[in-house]
């Protein structure tokens, strides 16, 4: 599955030693804000885990990074209860963060329009950048003025 959004929280990395193999392991969780529907006024959030020190360094996610992520959901059982875990598979930086996309060794460094080339960027139209979040609109399809303060008590 894929989503676009903005990294809002980078949790501290966790590490340890596997009891079964004795190998070192490391994982890190990230919280991403995203808008599922175009007229959604408050963002939804998803927590995603990256497993492996090399992948954590490769993705190098930071707060406020605008990204398109590919992930999968796994379920596991513990003491008779089931839990879901969202595992991050791939990251493509978009918007202002697009310059952080890694360069594959077998690809040219630049396209004709000057944008960096990444494996997942082929899905984007050349010369166009997708907005990280759809604009907020009211029930009539009119843009919502973000300068106004809402009437929520919190």
């Amino acid at each position: 599955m894929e989503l676009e959004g903005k990294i809002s929280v980078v949790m501290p990395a966790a590490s340890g030693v596997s009891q079964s193999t004795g190998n070192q392991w490391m994982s890190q969780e990230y919280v991403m804000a995203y808008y599922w529907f175009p007229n959604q006024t408050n963002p939804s959030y998803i927590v995603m885990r990256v497993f492996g020190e090399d992948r954590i360094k490769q993705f190098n996610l930071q707060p406020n990074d605008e990204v398109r992520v590919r992930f999968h959901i796994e379920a596991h059982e513990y003491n008779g209860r089931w839990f879901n875990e969202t595992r991050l598979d791939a990251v493509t930086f978009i918007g202002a963060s697009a310059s952080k996309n890694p360069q594959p060794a077998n690809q040219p460094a630049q396209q004709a329009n000057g944008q960096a080339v990444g494996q997942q960027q082929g899905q984007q139209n050349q010369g166009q950048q997708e907005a990280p979040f759809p604009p907020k609109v009211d029930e009539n399809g009119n843009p919502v003025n973000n300068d106004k303060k809402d009437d929520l008590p919190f």
Side-chain angles (χ1 to χ4, degrees), residues 98-103 108-111 113-118 121 124:
S99 62
K100 291 177 66 174
N101 282 320
Q103 298 296 322
Q110 300 273 327
Q111 288 179 345
N113 64 3
Q115 290 182 341
V117 175
Q121 281 185 317
Q124 286 182 299

